[in-house]
Amino acid sequence: IQANPLIKTLALSPRRRMAPPAPATARRPMAAVRCSAAKRSYNVTLLPGDGIGPEVVAVAKDVLSLAGALEGVEFRFQEKLMGGAAVDAYGVPLPEETLAAAQASDAVLLGAIGGYKWDNNEKHLKPETGLLQIRAGLGVFANLRPAAVLPQLVDASTLKKEVAEGVDIMVVRELTGGIYFGQPRGFGKNDKGEDTGFNTEVYSASEIDRITRVAFEVARKRRGKLCSVDKANVLEASMLWRKRVTSLASEFPDIELSHMYVDNAAMQLIRNPKQFDTIVTNNIFGDILSDEASMLTGSIGMLPSASVGESGPGLFEPIHGSAPDIAGQDKANPLATILSAAMLLRYGLGEENAAKRVEAAVTETLNNGFRTGDIYSPGTTLVGCKRMGEEVLKTVESQSAVALNS
């Protein structure tokens, strides 16, 4: 069986840079002393983007830095323009300088892109085009989107409590193939002289195989159940998809594989979401189903994502949009970006302990009753983006104090 190089990433075997030892006379932080004499050092490219992107990335950067420092990890950050901000400054949504910096880094943290300002731009000048370009440029083909209903927020879900409680789903979406990239595509005329628009849904066996192996490995690290979603009763691309997924199942005898048509899957996510553990699907179905799954949790502002490839840096981002209507008002929920930073630590750099620190701090902050507007409920404390970040930082610091005194 040929191993997928991506599994090294999922098995937490990152590219690491070791910083040179500190001089003997240098004063080192307590966290570094307790963790390791040799710090691990990483280059991280920050792409704040548009709308609320700069606000949430700034908060996540601080949390990432503190959690890393407590585990002997040092970050070298650089910020680059992307999306609408890059269109305004450079005339393109993804400048060559930005892509080169991202490719040369160990991981990339993205905020959000887009906004009303650029909605009427030509396609090549739309912020979203930059997102497709950077995914292709980094070679990230597997998008991991968790959707878990936290006990503290179960009442925020629009579903009945008994339906939403305990939901914990991971959607593995193929990211660089399918109808978003297939050729031919474009505009034309039909035999009646009417305008037409057309796209092509196409997948090769190798594209299907590599995302399927990733999904099986993810399911293996979770509860051992994988549901492949397609439309094999209608689409030839889905027929091949199901054939390849089924053929690879013999490599993973410990994983329970099932298949479901996409229309039924969309219904089942609302009717009985707890039946799902890990879902693998193509680009367009994954785009839709992962957003649907996100709303099971009550707020899209809580959900992170990771996009990883066979080698090179991964791209980590919240799944929410740029929310231009609240940009600059300190109303954004930074938790999805903070949790994306945790995924960066785990899946991008292999820093599991630091990732756990971040996730535990988010949980404790919610336990302490702090809420931004999108997840607020009576009896909790309404805070803004900056204050929420400060409370998460306090919790990370309190974790370190407990650890140091134990």
Side-chain angles (χ1 to χ4, degrees):
I1 299 172
Q2 184 178 4
N4 187 330
L6 176 61
I7 303 311
K8 295 181 179 179
T9 304
L10 294 175
L12 308 181
S13 299
R15 299 183 301 164
R16 288 183 174 175
R17 292 190 175 96
M18 303 304 292
T25 56
R27 182 178 178 184
R28 289 152 52 202
M30 181 72 73
V33 173
R34 99 176 233 278
C35 295
S36 172
K39 277 192 173 184
R40 299 178 299 284
S41 181
Y42 304 103
N43 293 323
V44 175
T45 297
L46 302 175
L47 305 176
D50 309 316
I52 63 172
E55 299 171 63
V56 296
V57 166
V59 171
K61 175 186 175 183
D62 290 341
V63 174
L64 191 60
S65 296
L66 180 58
L70 294 171
E71 293 295 335
V73 175
E74 183 177 67
F75 294 105
R76 292 187 291 270
F77 295 104
Q78 59 176 336
E79 286 193 12
K80 296 294 180 181
L81 293 180
M82 180 183 161
V87 170
D88 290 347
Y90 296 104
V92 291
L94 181 66
E96 291 182 6
E97 176 187 339
T98 298
L99 179 58
Q103 291 172 328
S105 63
D106 294 303
V108 180
L109 182 65
L110 170 65
I113 61 167
Y116 312 129
K117 179 179 180 181
W118 306 281
D119 280 351
N120 294 323
N121 284 17
E122 294 181 36
K123 181 183 175 182
H124 70 285
L125 295 179
K126 286 183 177 293
E128 294 77 11
T129 297
L131 184 58
L132 296 178
Q133 290 171 340
I134 197 170
R135 288 170 179 170
L138 295 177
V140 290
F141 66 85
N143 182 228
L144 313 182
R145 287 195 176 188
V149 177
L150 301 177
Q152 303 91 337
L153 300 178
V154 65
D155 290 331
S157 175
T158 54
L159 298 182
K160 293 180 180 179
K161 183 176 181 179
E162 58 268 25
V163 176
E165 199 167 32
V167 168
D168 182 3
I169 300 169
M170 176 72 83
V171 179
V172 180
R173 169 192 173 191
E174 200 288 321
L175 203 57
T176 57
I179 200 167
Y180 292 167
F181 294 90
Q183 296 291 341
R185 62 187 299 162
F187 301 96
K189 298 279 188 180
N190 65 15
D191 56 6
K192 297 179 180 180
E194 296 174 320
D195 290 336
T196 61
F198 57 93
N199 297 86
T200 302
E201 167 76 358
V202 58
Y203 273 105
S204 66
S206 61
E207 287 177 312
I208 299 169
D209 289 358
R210 67 181 184 178
I211 191 67
T212 299
R213 286 196 172 96
V214 170
F216 271 116
E217 289 290 345
V218 169
R220 180 173 277 166
K221 292 178 179 295
R222 289 171 52 84
R223 300 190 300 277
K225 293 175 60 180
L226 177 64
C227 179
S228 176
V229 174
D230 58 40
K231 192 63 175 169
N233 58 336
V234 176
L235 303 176
E236 282 79 3
S238 279
M239 294 173 192
L240 178 63
W241 181 283
R242 182 170 293 208
K243 178 181 177 181
R244 298 304 304 175
V245 172
T246 301
S247 69
L248 290 175
S250 61
E251 297 180 16
F252 302 89
D254 55 320
I255 305 302
E256 177 187 333
L257 174 65
S258 61
H259 301 272
M260 192 175 291
Y261 297 142
V262 63
D263 44 351
N264 186 31
M267 179 184 69
Q268 294 297 330
L269 274 171
I270 300 301
R271 190 186 73 84
N272 180 22
K274 285 194 282 283
Q275 68 182 282
F276 296 106
D277 171 20
T278 305
I279 294 173
V280 63
T281 191
N282 69 12
N283 205 339
I284 189 169
F285 296 162
D287 192 0
I288 297 166
L289 293 180
S290 59
D291 276 3
E292 181 188 7
S294 74
M295 289 314 299
L296 301 175
T297 69
S299 173
I300 202 169
M302 286 296 301
L303 300 177
S305 75
S307 299
V308 292
E310 292 179 340
S311 62
L315 179 66
F316 302 87
E317 58 179 309
I319 72 171
H320 60 65
S322 62
D325 54 321
I326 62 169
Q329 300 177 39
D330 194 35
K331 293 181 178 180
N333 184 347
L335 294 183
T337 312
I338 292 172
L339 290 172
S340 295
M343 294 190 81
L344 182 153
L345 289 164
R346 172 174 292 115
Y347 293 108
L349 305 179
E351 296 293 346
E352 179 69 14
N353 289 341
K356 287 180 177 178
R357 281 186 180 274
V358 174
E359 292 165 345
V362 169
T363 298
E364 186 62 24
T365 301
L366 292 172
N367 284 340
N368 291 337
F370 295 102
R371 303 285 190 272
T372 47
D374 58 312
I375 55 175
Y376 174 78
S377 61
T380 60
T381 303
L382 179 64
V383 297
C385 181
K386 292 180 181 178
R387 173 72 185 281
M388 182 65 87
E390 290 168 358
E391 294 301 330
V392 173
L393 285 169
K394 287 179 186 177
T395 306
V396 174
E397 289 174 337
S398 68
Q399 291 172 347
S400 68
V402 171
L404 289 171
N405 292 329
S406 61

